[in-house]
Amino acid sequence: MASDDIALLAEALSKTHVGYGELSYKGQGLKLDNTESVKELVREIEEYQGLRALRLEGNTVGVEAAQAIAKALECKDQLQVLGGERLEINCLSLGSALMTAGARLRELDLSDNAFGPDGIKGIETLLKSSACHSLQELRLNNCGMGIGGGKILAAALTECHEQSSALGAPLKLKVFQAGRNRLENEGATALALAFQLMGSLEEVHMPQNGINHAGVTALATAMQHNPHLRILNLNDNTFTKRGALAMAQALRHLRTVQVINFGDCLVRSEGAIALSAVLREGLPTLKELNLSFGEITEAAALVLAQAVQDKPHMEKLDLNGNCLGEEGCEALKETMDNMDRADILASLSDDEGEPDEEEDEEVEDEENGKEMKEKGVKDDRESPVKLEPTCHPEILSFLSSLTAETLLKLGDNRTGLIQQHVDVSDPDKVADAFLRISSLYSDDHEVKKAVLETIDILLKKAFSGSSLQTYSFLSTLLVMLGLLKGEGKVKKVQVLPGHLLVLEHAVQQDYFPQDHATLLDTFVARVFSLLIKTEYCRASLMPLLITVLAAM
């Protein structure tokens, strides 16, 4: 060890006592590579009575030096906090020392140590031991764990919880950080099971882990079982529509969330609409929402903006790097300003501009097709959603030949029969049923009456569910009508006057919530630029919309 490092260590030792029971060398930039180099440090540890925290972050500690430090810790039974990065550390020795000492750890931070799956094996025994029964904060950022390390970590946490529960004091981990670890779906899913079992998490930070919708869905399920969650950071993973819907469903059940970071997660417009529904009915304590770089388009961003209007604690809404376009950015700023919430909107300086739909669809279809091929799944994305078959002959006739005549033949019980065979909890099926039935609309009194009565019963039941469910229905409807870009090959319908006339009827009914009508108006207004800055009501909007769409 060079003499200047010895001098640095001497200087560090003179100012190591930071707070009661803490010995800190944090950020000293020391290079400690052998026993001699840590001789004074070890002496300081040994002589420190009541040592509760040892901070080594920001130093480089070699194997031999780490072993000497571990030996010194063997008698420190009050140690609760251990932190250190860039440790060429023998994790087995460290764990053994802490267990020998009978320590009861509260915080363990081994971030920025590239120890990989083997390193996790080194602390596996420690994590399973009584030394970690009291653990509240675990930080393992940038450790190169990989899928294997994630599974080992999940199993260790599970066993720790089971053993501590058997002793009457279950593990109550509050903070978990494991960013940049290449956990991918399998590692994330394994950890999700451990999170669900513990149910005590308040902060979860797992950015940049190569997790897509399958892993995100598993984590979403786990989050529902952690009612005190305050911070959820999954930045730079890949949600897409399926992951976003699963996470939105989870967030409906959480009342204490303050910070959500889904930036660079490909939430996209359909996911943004789903999250808007959750904002409308829940998340009362939310302070920050980051949906930057998510391929969200202008109209969906406006729906999000309207959804945060009544969030009293909201401090920041980040929609930078999306696909709003210049006019969309101005419209978003204007909307926030009109709501007197302009101060919470983050910069839009990195907006990607309006999307090139054809290029996006080609890339997306290629990705979705590849995933399905790898899983051996038949690609039926172009197949329309079907009403469920039934033995009732009139329903079979109606399904095989969608005409006004077959609808009327169902008789007065048509609404009940169709309702029985449309799963209203499935937004795709409700949207498909709506479009198929409304396409039969005509000026004939009997047909018009049959169509409207059937639609009213169908939507009244569908809208009795959660806002997330009904927002998802509207999102699917907008995609099928060609007003919103969806994921994959969604078969768009030829827009008929009946579709829009029935929709106009529906939005005027008591079962159709006002905020849902506002969502529709927002999309229609942004799609048709002639209505962008015009004051209008639905009564005057729909006839104009019918004329424009019919001419398309």
Side-chain angles (χ1 to χ4, degrees):
M1 183 180 182
S3 59
D4 55 344
D5 284 333
I6 295 175
L8 282 171
L9 177 56
E11 181 183 354
L13 288 171
S14 68
K15 50 184 178 182
T16 54
H17 299 270
V18 182
Y20 176 72
E22 179 176 296
L23 193 58
S24 177
Y25 307 94
K26 190 173 182 178
Q28 298 293 331
L30 301 173
K31 296 181 180 180
L32 310 173
D33 50 15
N34 54 40
T35 303
E36 183 63 27
S37 68
V38 293
K39 183 177 180 180
E40 292 299 318
L41 188 155
V42 166
R43 182 185 60 80
E44 186 79 2
I45 292 173
E46 292 174 340
E47 294 179 356
Y48 199 122
Q49 299 300 314
L51 180 64
R52 295 178 180 274
L54 176 62
R55 297 287 190 183
L56 297 174
E57 297 98 322
N59 301 288
T60 301
V61 184
V63 175
E64 186 179 331
Q67 290 173 338
I69 293 171
K71 183 68 175 176
L73 291 173
E74 287 183 356
C75 62
K76 300 301 173 183
D77 60 349
Q78 297 183 51
L79 189 69
Q80 298 178 1
V81 179
L82 177 64
E85 61 187 35
R86 295 198 298 275
L87 303 177
E88 297 172 25
I89 197 161
N90 185 323
C91 295
L92 193 59
S93 297
L94 175 65
S96 177
L98 294 172
M99 288 185 288
T100 299
R104 292 293 183 268
L105 291 179
R106 181 178 56 81
E107 179 182 341
L108 180 61
D109 186 351
L110 295 176
S111 296
D112 299 312
N113 288 292
F115 46 56
D118 291 338
I120 289 295
K121 290 179 183 178
I123 62 171
E124 179 183 11
T125 303
L126 171 64
L127 290 170
K128 292 178 179 179
S129 74
S130 60
C132 288
H133 287 183
S134 55
L135 194 63
Q136 295 182 19
E137 301 181 17
L138 179 60
R139 293 178 172 84
L140 296 170
N141 291 310
N142 193 31
C143 290
M145 284 190 285
I147 294 173
K151 290 181 175 180
I152 293 170
L153 177 60
L157 290 172
T158 299
E159 185 169 332
C160 182
H161 183 270
E162 290 174 349
Q163 291 185 1
S164 58
S165 296
L167 296 173
L171 171 67
K172 293 184 178 179
L173 192 66
K174 294 181 179 180
V175 177
F176 179 84
Q177 295 185 1
R180 299 181 64 189
N181 272 293
R182 304 192 306 275
L183 294 171
E184 301 183 16
N185 286 338
E186 291 183 59
T189 299
L191 284 166
L193 293 174
F195 296 163
Q196 183 170 329
L197 179 65
M198 291 185 290
S200 56
L201 288 167
E202 297 180 9
E203 295 184 23
V204 175
H205 304 261
M206 297 175 67
Q208 292 183 303
N209 270 296
I211 307 168
N212 66 29
H213 68 85
V216 171
T217 298
L219 289 170
T221 300
M223 294 307 104
Q224 293 185 49
H225 296 270
N226 288 266
H228 303 296
L229 189 69
R230 293 184 297 104
I231 299 175
L232 181 57
N233 176 7
L234 296 177
N235 187 282
D236 200 7
N237 290 291
T238 306
F239 281 38
T240 62
K241 176 184 176 181
R242 283 176 285 184
L245 289 177
M247 195 57 71
Q249 179 65 35
L251 291 170
R252 287 184 59 230
H253 301 277
L254 301 173
R255 308 294 294 176
T256 61
V257 176
Q258 297 178 8
V259 178
I260 296 173
N261 186 344
F262 297 160
D264 205 10
C265 284
L266 285 184
V267 169
R268 294 182 171 143
S269 295
E270 288 180 277
I273 290 173
L275 291 169
S276 298
V278 179
L279 287 166
R280 289 276 188 184
E281 66 178 3
L283 297 173
T285 62
L286 190 65
K287 293 182 179 180
E288 295 183 19
L289 176 61
N290 183 348
L291 295 178
S292 60
F293 299 93
E295 294 189 3
I296 297 169
T297 54
E298 175 189 349
L302 293 174
V303 171
L304 270 169
Q306 292 159 2
V308 303
Q309 181 176 5
D310 297 322
K311 294 294 173 199
H313 306 290
M314 199 73 177
E315 297 173 358
K316 184 177 182 180
L317 174 63
D318 191 347
L319 294 174
N320 196 20
N322 282 296
C323 303
L324 310 185
E326 185 176 346
E327 291 186 4
C329 288
E330 290 304 313
L332 179 58
K333 291 176 182 177
E334 182 180 345
T335 297
M336 297 298 289
D337 189 51
N338 290 341
M339 297 188 304
D340 198 25
R341 303 304 301 271
D343 58 315
I344 70 172
L345 182 64
S347 169
L348 300 174
S349 59
D350 296 318
D351 186 74
E352 297 286 343
E354 296 181 20
D356 184 337
E357 292 192 13
E358 291 184 3
E359 181 179 340
D360 287 350
E361 286 177 1
E362 288 177 4
V363 172
E364 189 172 277
D365 290 340
E366 184 178 336
E367 291 175 351
N368 289 340
K370 181 180 179 182
E371 181 181 351
M372 289 180 169
K373 186 176 181 180
E374 289 174 351
K375 294 183 177 181
V377 177
K378 182 180 178 182
D379 188 353
D380 59 355
R381 288 170 287 156
E382 291 191 50
S383 301
V385 180
K386 300 293 186 183
L387 295 176
E388 296 298 328
T390 177
C391 59
H392 196 289
E394 284 82 3
I395 284 287
L396 286 175
S397 175
F398 178 65
L399 292 174
S400 60
S401 177
L402 284 170
T403 65
E405 183 180 359
T406 55
L407 178 64
L408 291 174
K409 280 185 177 180
L410 293 177
D412 293 338
N413 197 30
R414 71 177 70 86
T415 56
L417 289 172
I418 291 177
Q419 187 178 345
Q420 289 174 18
H421 299 283
V422 179
D423 181 2
V424 295
S425 67
D426 187 329
D428 292 342
K429 291 183 178 180
V430 177
D432 183 69
F434 174 88
L435 291 172
R436 297 174 74 190
I437 295 169
S438 63
S439 69
L440 305 177
Y441 182 93
S442 76
D443 290 333
D444 181 273
H445 175 72
E446 282 192 63
V447 174
K448 181 191 297 186
K449 182 174 181 289
V451 168
L452 295 182
E453 285 180 351
T454 305
I455 288 297
D456 282 343
I457 293 296
L458 184 67
L459 293 189
K460 186 174 183 179
K461 185 174 180 181
F463 283 172
S464 66
S466 69
S467 291
L468 175 57
Q469 181 178 310
T470 52
Y471 265 53
S472 296
F473 154 67
L474 291 180
S475 175
T476 302
L477 188 64
L478 288 166
V479 170
M480 297 178 77
L481 288 171
L483 298 179
L484 172 65
K485 180 182 177 295
E487 291 188 5
K489 289 184 178 179
V490 177
K491 189 173 183 180
K492 300 184 176 94
V493 301
Q494 178 182 357
V495 180
L496 301 173
H499 293 145
L500 301 168
L501 287 166
V502 173
L503 188 58
E504 178 189 24
H505 163 82
V507 298
Q508 296 174 11
Q509 306 309 305
D510 291 339
Y511 61 73
F512 206 103
Q514 180 58 44
D515 60 292
H516 290 55
T518 301
L519 184 154
L520 286 174
D521 285 351
T522 297
F523 269 88
V524 171
R526 305 319 297 179
V527 170
F528 298 101
S529 57
L530 70 159
L531 294 174
I532 287 178
K533 296 186 181 298
T534 304
E535 292 293 332
Y536 62 96
C537 63
R538 285 191 298 277
S540 61
L541 169 62
M542 286 301 174
L544 178 57
L545 178 56
I546 291 167
T547 302
V548 176
L549 280 179
M552 290 176 64

